[in-house]
């Protein structure tokens, strides 16, 4: 299995879930078997008890798990059935560690965030025994880089990439490129700061998906690439669309799947359902 982690920077609600779901669709169209997971830094065990007006829909999987709304995006975009392992929260991770602690499983050792919580997170990265033929797991980390509560997840993905190797595990960072109306400028600094933040945690993003109001010209893409240490081709623009189902099409035009396959050392044949893209 190859892994694609999706993180978000600058602000929340940028469309990490939609980006992850769109990528899944584009890889599936190339014949790859794809699955998705969402890791959420909040302490609720699952969103089942959370106010849907505040948090959005509770998406119920076939096996009855009450999960985050992003899993709904994944299923609708990718058309693969997900399950209770597809959504992991900080609450679930601690719940399981605390039960092991009470059971005496740690044999008198001090139980710590590193390594116990981070190991528990790593153990939960895609472990669906029913889908052994999965080729790519797309894993979204909820929240924004820089949040206190995301740190164990980011440390876990850093270690995970170190263990499985950079050709088997890549990082997509979704950021915001704001436009300042008064000065008429597109600003890359928040993105640079967010990438520095990630680098400070030992993570180098491979691909940047940039949400922006205005199209990014080559000059801006080159600038982002230079300062964030990625090839220009790996800077993908993600403009606002009217209908969410247009996002995969927009991502295809930006060659997201090609760049992902290149980073993962995988073939990237033209999409099988070509007509779908017209
Ligand atoms: P995150 O996972 O980063 O919190 P979501 O994927 O849930 O963000 O998206 C946040 C909101 O932004 C959703 O309501 C989604 O419909 C909207 N959205 C995401 N991408 C786009 C886009 N390219 N154009 C317009 N709306 C978008």
């Amino acid at each position: 299995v190859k892994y694609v982690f999706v993180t978000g920077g600058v602000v929340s609600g940028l469309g990490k879930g939609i980006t992850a779901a769109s990528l899944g669709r584009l890889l599936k169209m190339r014949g790859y078997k794809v699955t998705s997971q969402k890791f959420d830094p909040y302490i609720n065990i699952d969103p089942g008890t959370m106010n849907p007006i505040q948090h959005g829909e509770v998406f119920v999987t076939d096996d009855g798990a009450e999960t985050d709304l992003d899993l709904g995006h994944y299923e609708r975009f990718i058309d693969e059935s997900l399950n209770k392992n597809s959504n992991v929260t900080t609450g679930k991770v601690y719940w399981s560690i605390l039960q092991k602690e009470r059971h005496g499983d740690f044999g008198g050792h001090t139980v710590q965030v590193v390594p116990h919580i981070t190991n528990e997170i790593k153990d939960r990265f895609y472990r669906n025994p029913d889908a052994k033929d999965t080729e790519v797991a797309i894993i979204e980390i909820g929240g924004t880089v820089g949040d206190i509560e995301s740190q164990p997840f980011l440390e876990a993905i850093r270690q995970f990439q170190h263990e499985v190797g950079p050709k088997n595990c890549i990082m997509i960072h979704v950021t915001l490129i704001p436009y300042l109306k008064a000065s008429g400028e597109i600003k890359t600094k928040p993105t640079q700061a967010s990438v520095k933040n990630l680098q400070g945690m030992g993570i180098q993003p491979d691909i940047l998906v940039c949400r922006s109001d205005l199209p990014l010209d080559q000059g801006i893409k080159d600038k982002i690439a230079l300062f964030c240490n990625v090839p220009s081709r790996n800077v993908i623009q993600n403009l606002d669309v009217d209908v969410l189902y247009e996002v995969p099409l927009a991502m295809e035009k930006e060659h997201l799947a090609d760049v992902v396959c290149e980073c993962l050392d995988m073939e990237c044949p033209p999409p099988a359902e070509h007509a779908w893209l017209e």
Side-chain angles (χ1 to χ4, degrees), residues 13-18 70 73 140 211 238-241 244 247:
L14 272 182
K16 290 189 303 288
I18 300 293
D70 274 321
H73 298 325
E140 177 190 349
R211 285 300 306 284
N238 182 356
L239 300 172
D240 280 355
V241 294
L244 272 186
V247 179

Side-chain angles (χ1 to χ4, degrees), residues 2 23 26-33 135-136 167 233 256-271:
K2 304 248 185 189
L23 174 63
L26 299 180
L27 292 176
K28 185 174 176 181
M29 289 177 71
R30 289 170 164 83
Y32 288 112
K33 178 101 174 71
E135 294 166 288
V136 185
K167 285 286 173 199
R233 234 172 94 69
L256 177 63
D258 295 284
V259 173
V260 165
C261 289
E262 209 172 279
C263 292
L264 287 172
D265 230 352
M266 302 188 327
E267 299 276 319
C268 194

Side-chain angles (χ1 to χ4, degrees), residues 230-244:
V230 299
S232 269
R233 234 172 94 69
N234 297 22
V235 179
I236 307 283
Q237 79 175 2
N238 182 356
L239 300 172
D240 280 355
V241 294
D242 293 329
V243 179
L244 272 186

Side-chain angles (χ1 to χ4, degrees), residues 103-114:
H103 195 246
D105 292 356
F106 295 107
H109 286 285
T110 309
V111 182
Q112 294 177 296
V113 174
V114 180

